[in-house]
Amino acid sequence: NGILALGMTFVILTGGIDLSVGPLCAVSGVVAAKYMVDHPEAPIIIPILLAFAVCMIFGIFYGSIISWSGLPPFVVTLAVMQIARGLALAYTDGKPIIIKNQMFRFLGQGKLFEVIPIPVIFFLVIFLYSLFIQRNTKFGRYIYAIGGNEAAAKASGVNVKKYRTLVYIQSACFVSIAGILLAARTQSGQPAVGTSYECDAIAAVVIGGTSMSGGIGGVEGTLIGILIIGVINNGLNLMGVSSHYQTVAKGLIILIAVLVDVITKKANRK
């Protein structure tokens, strides 16, 4: 969820949204799993790069449509969400693919020095990369410019279509990493995995203070949002709250966070 939320942060900073992250997680996992089953002697890097490439192609596809057609990101990514889920189910015939590669399993279940889980290391590396991009690169500055005032960004010479596309490609690449780690952790490629992952990612971003209208926020706040969502999830599980009511709670959290954002903006304008 943390890796997905970091990618979602950049998308929302541009004033967009990406609803396809959950199904793309499934696509990434099943592509890697299927290759390992069909080619058990192949180096582990090949299925990882293959899954990465497939998700990148998805990112280029829907990022370009959003940027060049003018269609709302909500509509495009909603369509891609259905397409990706359908392809994942069709590719596996709706059945999970069991992974027996122990080196791949280490990515999801291993620990560095028997203390730090490998997925946590991946998350920290991606967080530091995201922080660097946000604070120290032209790409990061342009993301804020597009989300803050797209017309002004265009007038300043920013290639809005190019950078908006890159944001969605980056999000898809982050999703591929999350999907690979999830498959390694569960030792299987699950075509149905990732349901409501987009809600958790969006919740973490908006709780962290990133405005849904774009231009305000950042990955530092998202990190706090990720931790809060994690505490809420664990707390509700420990309390024995039904998963159905947990979904309701997350929906209310998103609604309240967006409402607070809107009220704060109105107050600042006055």
Side-chain angles (χ1 to χ4, degrees):
N1 183 44
I3 294 172
L4 298 180
L6 291 174
M8 187 72 75
T9 303
F10 288 100
V11 171
I12 292 178
L13 279 172
T14 64
I17 198 165
D18 189 352
L19 301 178
S20 67
V21 295
L24 274 185
C25 253
V27 169
S28 177
V30 299
V31 166
K34 187 73 163 58
Y35 188 91
M36 281 185 283
V37 170
D38 293 342
H39 306 85
E41 302 302 323
I44 190 175
I45 191 65
I46 296 179
I48 292 174
L49 291 177
L50 181 61
F52 192 83
V54 169
C55 287
M56 181 179 286
I57 291 169
F58 264 99
I60 293 171
F61 169 67
Y62 66 85
S64 298
I65 292 176
I66 291 168
S67 300
W68 296 91
S69 72
L71 290 173
F74 178 88
V75 175
V76 176
T77 58
L78 180 65
V80 173
M81 177 175 73
Q82 298 298 322
I83 293 169
R85 181 68 71 194
L87 288 175
L89 291 167
Y91 188 60
T92 62
D93 197 25
K95 301 174 183 176
I97 302 173
I98 305 303
I99 300 171
K100 297 181 179 179
N101 189 307
Q102 294 302 310
M103 187 176 295
F104 186 78
R105 176 184 176 184
F106 179 77
L107 293 177
Q109 300 183 13
K111 293 183 179 180
L112 183 66
F113 307 123
E114 300 297 325
V115 176
I116 308 173
I118 298 300
V120 173
I121 296 174
F122 273 91
F123 169 74
L124 291 175
V125 170
I126 294 172
F127 172 74
L128 292 174
Y129 159 83
S130 300
L131 193 61
F132 176 79
I133 290 293
Q134 174 186 296
R135 291 184 174 181
N136 301 290
T137 67
K138 180 171 66 175
F139 180 39
R141 292 193 294 273
Y142 285 175
I143 287 172
Y144 280 96
I146 294 169
N149 190 322
E150 184 175 329
K154 286 181 180 178
S156 301
V158 176
N159 189 334
V160 173
K161 293 178 180 178
K162 171 186 173 182
Y163 286 99
R164 178 171 279 136
T165 303
L166 288 175
V167 164
Y168 285 96
I169 294 173
Q170 178 179 258
S171 176
C173 290
F174 283 13
V175 172
S176 73
I177 297 171
I180 289 167
L181 292 174
L182 185 61
R185 186 173 181 178
T186 60
Q187 300 180 61
S188 63
Q190 300 274 357
V193 81
T195 303
S196 80
Y197 279 19
E198 59 279 350
C199 292
D200 283 0
I202 294 169
V205 175
V206 296
I207 287 173
T210 298
S211 172
M212 290 294 291
S213 58
I216 299 172
V219 295
E220 309 96 317
T222 298
L223 177 61
I224 297 172
I226 291 164
L227 295 174
I228 291 173
I229 287 293
V231 170
I232 291 172
N233 285 338
N234 289 335
L236 292 176
N237 285 330
L238 291 172
M239 292 168 63
V241 176
S242 166
S243 60
H244 307 304
Y245 289 112
Q246 290 186 33
T247 304
V248 173
K250 291 172 189 175
L252 289 172
I253 288 169
I254 295 174
L255 181 62
I256 293 169
V258 174
L259 186 60
V260 169
D261 176 53
V262 171
I263 293 172
T264 302
K265 280 191 171 182
K266 287 183 178 179
N268 289 337
R269 286 171 188 168
K270 291 179 181 179

